[in-house]
């Protein structure tokens, strides 16, 4: 300790702390005198604060008697008896040295108490106009720093937390980890360890399966319980179908109330879900279905024929979801024109104009969904410059399935207004040739305008009937047929479909689609090295326009086979529908619904056209019972007799069939010729 530090005046002590500062000092001195008798005690290094407190104690020793000091010291010892007992138990009854150090730490904490005094200068009024200056003779920061320094110089054992007071689970885990580290993986124990891991994984998988089964069972019980609660909550009266008199009364009153229809539809769906338990006695399932169809027609505005046709496509609950989804408009989507810009740059430009958008999904890298816009999305400078095309998300699907490759010849048989055509041109990177055909000549104007705006330089616009295309031009690598349809998948865009479609319309459209798909298959070159594909798509959800047409094409063109569309989502096409059995390969086609995929109803099928093969000539064998194929349409028996059609006998029937076809087309058939059967 330096000379200046010894003569430095200590900080003044407050009056209320005086007694507290004397008794710990006396107590520490008494403890020190007791500890001097022991030879194993270690000297304790004194700090500056302890030296100051010793000087103060010598001055005050003259004023206070030794009896009072001893009395005060023993009072403090009595007060700290409980604390000492607790410390002794923590350290497992260690020697007296540890307890002495513990008391000395307490003494140091009591002595190291400093008081900061702020001296405020007193000025006469008017002499000093500036702010009052404060002088700090010892801040809290210095006090904390001094405490940290003293803690470094002398550290008591009480301040150190014992390594293990109570063993915990973490200690066990540490020991297990150490044992695992000791048992290292070697070639000898590798097989045994892998076997143990496999057994553990199998046990966990079995446990997971059991939990899933139990969860499914619990869900069924919860559903049953909820249904029972619903029954109790229906105003105490079970649901019953309206009678014929009640229906007549409703019709005379101008139709039923909307709330009544809603409740009746909900109750019919609930009863049909649990028909055996909830159905009214004496009522059949068909009665509930007919009542539900009647309510759907009146509530959503469909004619009876179309409501029943769409209702038969889905289960009861899903059918109501489909009808409800048709009342909500689909999201606005745009397709980036990659011939002029990138999707990232386009999105940034539109965001700067106040458009809120985001990518449609992972299945397309050019689509953007627009949520809201402060400017007309169809009149921005980017739109006029051909950076994007307003296009429904479902219209991306057939082009993605077609997947045209550069330098190919592609035909779009029904191309107006040009969304799919320009998408094909963008995928071709303005190479090859795209023939954009549309039977309606007036619609080719908008088609040409979009082609020029989007910068497509490899497109040829023409206007022919699609059924004439194999004769006009053929040999295409790929053909896209987005056939004209009833529009039952875009009812949200065109609500007039609800009332203006009849059974005759579906029959005529299906006939036209069958003719177009055969012409599309015939227009493809099977010798194409990169192509030979046909994509058939409609914006309809009915089976008559989708699966029936594709199955017809497979039967009429054996060289065409269905292949995977390449679309990652969508439901599989029907292979069986209301007694009709289609080709099993129709499961490769894809269906899209508004209530499931949040896009327009759509259907996509992809064909691969191969070369037409001749029927192989099989060698005729003499064994009994074996039959071989000599030529197409001829059978050869074991005796060598050829069984074939007699053209002379069948000629009248063929001519009559030809006459009927010509009459159906509006042509004048030739007169009948009488031919004898034996001629």
């Amino acid at each position: 300790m330096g000379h200046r530090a010894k003569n430095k005046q200590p900080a003044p002590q407050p009056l209320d702390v005086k007694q507290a500062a004397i008794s710990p000092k006396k107590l520490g001195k008494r403890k020190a005198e007791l500890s001097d008798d022991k030879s194993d005690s270690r000297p304790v290094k004194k700090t500056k604060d302890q030296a100051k407190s010793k000087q103060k104690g010598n001055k005050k020793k003259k004023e206070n008697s030794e009896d009072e000091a001893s009395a005060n010291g023993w009072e403090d010892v009595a007060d700290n008896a409980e604390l000492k007992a607790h410390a002794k138990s923590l350290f497992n009854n260690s020697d007296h040295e540890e307890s002495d150090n513990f008391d000395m730490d307490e003494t140091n904490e009591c002595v190291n108490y400093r008081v900061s005094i702020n001296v405020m200068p007193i000025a006469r009024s008017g002499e000093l106009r500036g702010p009052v200056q404060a002088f700090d003779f010892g801040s809290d920061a210095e006090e904390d720093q001094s405490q940290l320094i003293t803690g470094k110089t002398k550290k008591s054992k009480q301040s150190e937390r014992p390594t293990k007071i109570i063993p915990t689970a973490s200690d066990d885990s540490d020991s297990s980890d150490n044992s695992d580290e000791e048992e290292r993986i070697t070639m000898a124990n590798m097989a045994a360890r892998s076997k143990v891991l496999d057994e553990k994984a199998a046990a966990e998988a079995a446990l997971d399966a059991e939990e899933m089964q139990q969860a499914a069972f619990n869900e069924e019980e919860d559903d049953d319980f909820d249904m029972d609660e619903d029954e109790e909550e229906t105003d105490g009266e079970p649901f019953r179908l309206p009678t014929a008199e009640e229906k007549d009364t409703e019709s005379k009153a101008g139709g039923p109330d909307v709330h009544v229809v809603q409740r009746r539809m909900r109750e019919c769906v609930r009863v049909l879900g649990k028909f055996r338990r909830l159905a009214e006695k004496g009522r059949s399932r068909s009665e509930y279905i007919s009542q539900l169809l009647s309510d759907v027609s009146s509530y959503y505005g469909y004619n009876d024929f179309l409501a029943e046709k769409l209702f038969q496509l889905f289960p009861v609950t899903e059918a109501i979801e489909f009808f409800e989804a048709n009342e909500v408009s689909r999201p606005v989507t745009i397709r980036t024109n990659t011939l002029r810009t990138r999707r990232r740059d386009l999105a940034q430009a539109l965001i700067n104009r106040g458009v809120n958008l985001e990518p449609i999904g992972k299945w397309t890298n050019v689509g953007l969904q627009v949520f809201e816009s402060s400017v007309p999305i169809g009149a921005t400078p980017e739109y006029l410059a051909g950076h994007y095309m307003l296009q429904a998300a479902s219209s991306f699907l057939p082009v993605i399935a077609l997947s045209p490759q550069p330098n190919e010849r592609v035909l779009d048989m029904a191309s107006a207004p040009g969304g799919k055509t320009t998408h094909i041109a963008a995928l071709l990177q303005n190479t090859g040739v795209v023939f954009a055909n549309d039977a309606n000549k007036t619609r080719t104007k908008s088609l040409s305008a979009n082609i020029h705006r989007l910068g497509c330089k490899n497109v040829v616009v023409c206007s022919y009937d699609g059924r004439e295309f194999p004769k006009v031009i053929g040999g295409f690598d790929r053909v896209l047929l987005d056939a004209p349809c009833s529009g039952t998948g875009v009812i949200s865009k065109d609500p007039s479909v609800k009332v203006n479609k009849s059974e005759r319309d579906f029959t005529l459209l299906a006939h036209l689609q069958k003719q177009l798909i055969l012409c599309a298959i015939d227009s493809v070159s099977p010798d194409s090295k990169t192509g030979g594909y046909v994509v058939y798509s409609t914006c309809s959800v009915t089976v008559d326009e989708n699966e029936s047409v594709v199955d017809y094409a497979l039967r009429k063109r054996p060289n065409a086979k269905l292949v995977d569309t390449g679309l990652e989502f969508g439901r599989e096409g029907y292979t069986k529908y209301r007694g009709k059995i289609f080709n099993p390969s129709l499961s490769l086609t894809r269906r899209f619904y508004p209530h499931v995929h949040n896009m327009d109803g759509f259907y996509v099928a992809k064909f691969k056209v191969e070369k037409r093969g001749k029927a192989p000539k099989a060698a005729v064998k003499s064994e009994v019972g074996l039959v071989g194929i000599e030529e197409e349409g001829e059978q050869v028996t074991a005796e060598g007799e050829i069984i074939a059609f007699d053209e002379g006998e069948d000629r009248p029937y063929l001519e009559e069939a030809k006459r009927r076809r010509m009459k159906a087309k509006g042509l004048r058939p030739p007169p009948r010729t009488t031919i004898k059967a034996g001629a």
Side-chain angles (χ1 to χ4, degrees):
M1 182 180 296
H3 179 71
R4 293 183 180 180
K6 289 182 179 180
N7 299 329
K8 187 176 180 181
Q9 183 177 0
Q13 297 290 339
L15 297 177
D16 53 349
V17 193
K18 182 175 180 181
Q19 187 65 23
I22 295 173
S23 58
K25 176 67 180 62
K26 301 285 183 178
L27 180 61
K29 184 177 179 182
R30 187 179 184 87
K31 294 283 185 180
E33 291 175 358
L34 293 174
S35 62
D36 289 337
D37 298 337
K38 296 184 180 181
S39 60
D40 58 346
S41 61
R42 291 179 294 179
V44 179
K45 186 177 180 180
K46 296 182 180 180
T47 60
K48 296 180 181 180
D49 294 336
Q50 290 177 353
K52 296 175 184 178
S53 61
K54 185 175 181 180
Q55 292 176 3
K56 290 170 57 180
N58 293 333
K59 292 179 181 180
K60 293 179 181 180
K61 186 175 181 182
K62 298 178 182 179
E63 300 176 359
N64 299 325
S65 63
E66 186 175 356
D67 296 336
E68 292 176 356
S70 61
N72 293 334
W74 284 112
E75 287 176 0
D76 292 337
V77 171
D79 294 336
N80 296 331
E82 185 179 354
L83 181 61
K84 291 174 65 178
H86 179 63
K88 191 173 182 180
S89 64
L90 285 177
F91 289 91
N92 297 326
N93 297 325
S94 60
D95 55 356
H96 188 67
E97 177 190 357
E98 296 180 354
S99 62
D100 290 344
N101 291 334
F102 178 76
D103 293 336
M104 289 300 295
D105 291 338
E106 287 184 348
T107 306
N108 293 336
E109 290 178 2
C110 294
V111 173
N112 294 335
Y113 179 82
R114 303 182 63 186
V115 180
S116 299
I117 303 175
N118 294 333
V119 179
M120 306 294 293
I122 303 174
R124 296 179 182 178
S125 61
E127 291 183 2
L128 297 176
R129 296 181 181 179
V132 178
Q133 187 176 3
F135 297 90
D136 191 2
F137 291 100
S139 61
D140 295 337
E142 294 177 357
E143 185 176 352
D144 296 339
Q145 187 175 2
S146 64
Q147 290 178 1
L148 290 174
I149 294 173
T150 56
K152 290 181 180 179
T153 56
K154 180 178 182 298
K155 187 176 181 182
S156 65
K157 294 185 179 181
Q158 179 65 20
S159 62
E160 296 180 359
R161 185 178 182 275
T163 56
K164 283 187 181 182
I165 298 176
I166 300 174
T168 59
S170 60
D171 301 331
D172 298 336
S173 63
D174 294 339
S175 62
S176 63
D177 294 340
N178 296 333
S179 63
D180 291 340
E181 291 178 359
E182 292 175 359
E183 186 182 357
R184 298 184 181 277
I185 300 176
T186 59
M187 294 298 294
N189 63 356
M190 185 179 295
R193 290 174 66 89
S194 63
K195 186 177 180 181
V196 171
L197 292 176
D198 293 340
E199 292 177 355
K200 186 183 295 184
E204 291 179 356
L207 184 61
D208 293 342
E210 185 179 356
E211 289 179 355
M212 291 178 65
Q213 293 178 358
Q214 186 66 26
F217 180 73
N218 293 337
E219 287 180 0
E220 292 179 358
E221 290 184 349
D222 293 342
D223 293 340
D224 296 341
F225 182 72
D226 294 340
M227 296 297 291
D228 295 338
E229 287 185 349
D230 293 340
E231 292 177 7
E232 295 175 358
E233 292 177 0
T234 54
D235 299 334
E237 297 180 2
F239 171 72
R240 62 181 184 84
L241 290 174
T243 60
E245 292 79 6
E246 293 175 351
K247 291 181 182 180
D248 294 339
T249 305
E250 287 181 353
S251 60
K252 290 178 182 179
D257 185 28
V258 176
H259 299 288
V260 175
V261 174
Q262 282 183 336
R263 180 181 179 278
R264 196 158 56 198
M265 289 170 55
R266 185 169 59 252
E267 292 296 333
C268 286
V269 171
R270 187 174 65 87
V271 171
L272 290 172
K274 302 284 185 180
F275 186 76
R276 291 184 179 180
R277 191 174 60 182
L278 303 178
E280 187 180 353
K281 292 183 179 180
R283 295 284 191 171
S284 63
R285 189 181 186 88
S286 59
E287 291 178 339
Y288 282 93
I289 292 177
S290 61
Q291 181 61 45
L292 181 58
L293 288 174
S294 177
D295 292 337
V296 166
S297 301
S298 62
Y299 185 76
Y300 294 107
Y302 290 84
N303 58 32
D304 296 337
F305 167 76
L306 187 59
E308 183 179 2
K309 195 171 190 64
L310 297 176
F311 183 83
Q312 293 172 352
L313 292 170
F314 309 100
V316 177
T317 306
E318 190 175 357
I320 301 300
E321 294 177 0
F322 173 77
F323 288 122
E324 193 67 33
N326 288 334
E327 304 300 313
V328 182
S329 60
R330 303 276 77 79
V332 178
T333 55
I334 60 177
R335 178 183 58 82
T336 307
N337 181 21
T338 55
L339 295 175
R340 294 193 183 275
T341 185
R342 296 184 302 175
R343 183 171 70 169
R344 182 187 306 172
D345 300 336
L346 174 63
Q348 187 61 45
L350 292 178
I351 289 172
N352 294 338
R353 295 190 183 277
V355 181
N356 185 10
L357 49 80
E358 69 174 14
I360 295 178
K362 296 182 180 179
W363 55 272
T364 175
N365 55 0
V366 294
L368 291 170
Q369 180 177 347
V370 179
F371 296 102
E372 59 181 358
S373 175
S374 59
V375 295
I377 199 67
T380 61
E382 288 78 14
Y383 177 82
L384 299 177
H387 290 185
Y388 64 89
M389 177 85 173
L390 278 168
Q391 191 173 348
S394 57
S395 298
F396 299 3
L397 302 173
V399 181
I400 294 174
L402 186 65
S403 184
Q405 304 299 319
N407 299 314
E408 286 186 343
R409 298 173 72 247
V410 183
L411 170 64
D412 189 358
M413 294 186 71
S415 57
K420 300 179 184 65
T421 301
T422 54
H423 194 182
I424 294 172
L427 292 178
L428 291 176
Q429 302 172 6
N430 265 341
T431 61
V433 183
V434 180
F435 288 85
N437 177 71
D438 199 89
N440 191 350
K441 197 169 185 178
T442 58
R443 300 186 68 189
T444 57
K445 296 180 180 179
S446 62
L447 172 62
S448 302
N450 285 322
I451 289 171
H452 285 292
R453 182 175 61 84
L454 296 175
C456 302
K457 302 177 181 179
N458 60 340
V459 181
V460 178
V461 180
C462 54
S463 179
Y464 289 99
D465 188 345
R467 292 171 288 186
E468 300 176 4
F469 237 90
K471 300 176 184 178
V472 174
I473 187 173
F476 295 100
D477 295 313
R478 298 171 194 260
V479 175
L480 173 61
L481 173 58
D482 187 21
C485 60
S486 61
T488 53
V490 291
I491 295 177
S492 59
K493 294 180 180 178
D494 185 13
S496 63
V497 177
K498 297 178 180 180
V499 293
N500 62 8
K501 296 299 178 184
S502 61
E503 187 175 3
R504 177 175 172 79
D505 295 327
F506 285 96
T507 304
L508 294 177
L509 286 169
H511 182 69
L512 175 62
Q513 290 160 356
K514 290 175 182 178
Q515 291 177 325
L516 289 173
I517 195 172
L518 293 182
C519 295
I521 292 173
D522 294 338
S523 299
V524 173
S525 172
D527 299 328
S528 174
K529 296 180 180 180
T530 59
Y533 294 99
V534 175
V535 170
Y536 173 80
S537 63
T538 64
C539 55
S540 175
V541 295
T542 59
V543 177
D544 299 339
E545 301 175 83
N546 297 327
E547 282 85 357
S548 296
V549 175
V550 173
D551 186 69
Y552 173 83
L554 292 176
R555 287 188 281 108
K556 291 296 182 180
R557 296 293 183 267
N559 60 323
K561 306 293 182 184
L562 282 176
V563 294
D564 188 17
T565 58
L567 301 173
E568 299 176 355
F569 64 105
R571 292 188 178 179
E572 296 181 355
Y574 290 107
T575 56
K576 298 178 182 179
Y577 178 75
R578 299 184 65 83
K580 298 180 182 179
I581 300 177
F582 302 118
N583 195 309
S585 61
L586 261 74
S587 60
L588 297 173
T589 62
R590 288 292 177 267
R591 282 177 159 269
F592 303 91
Y593 297 113
H595 65 286
V596 177
H597 307 101
N598 196 20
M599 61 175 62
D600 295 330
F602 225 76
Y603 179 80
V604 180
K606 186 175 183 180
F607 295 87
K608 170 65 176 174
V609 181
E610 300 173 351
K611 293 183 180 180
R612 292 188 178 183
K614 295 182 180 180
K617 295 184 179 181
V620 180
K621 297 183 180 181
S622 59
E623 286 83 354
V624 179
L626 294 180
V627 178
I629 303 298
E630 181 68 23
E631 291 183 0
E632 186 177 359
E634 296 183 354
Q635 281 189 344
V636 181
T637 60
E639 288 79 8
E641 182 182 356
I642 297 176
I643 303 175
F645 292 104
D646 188 354
E647 295 183 359
E649 184 179 357
D650 297 335
R651 189 174 301 167
Y653 303 102
L654 297 175
E655 288 186 358
E656 188 64 26
K658 185 178 180 180
R659 285 172 58 83
R660 286 196 300 269
R661 287 197 300 270
M662 294 180 70
K663 284 184 178 181
K665 293 181 179 180
L667 302 176
R668 185 176 179 180
R672 291 186 177 87
T673 57
T674 57
I675 300 175
K676 294 182 180 180

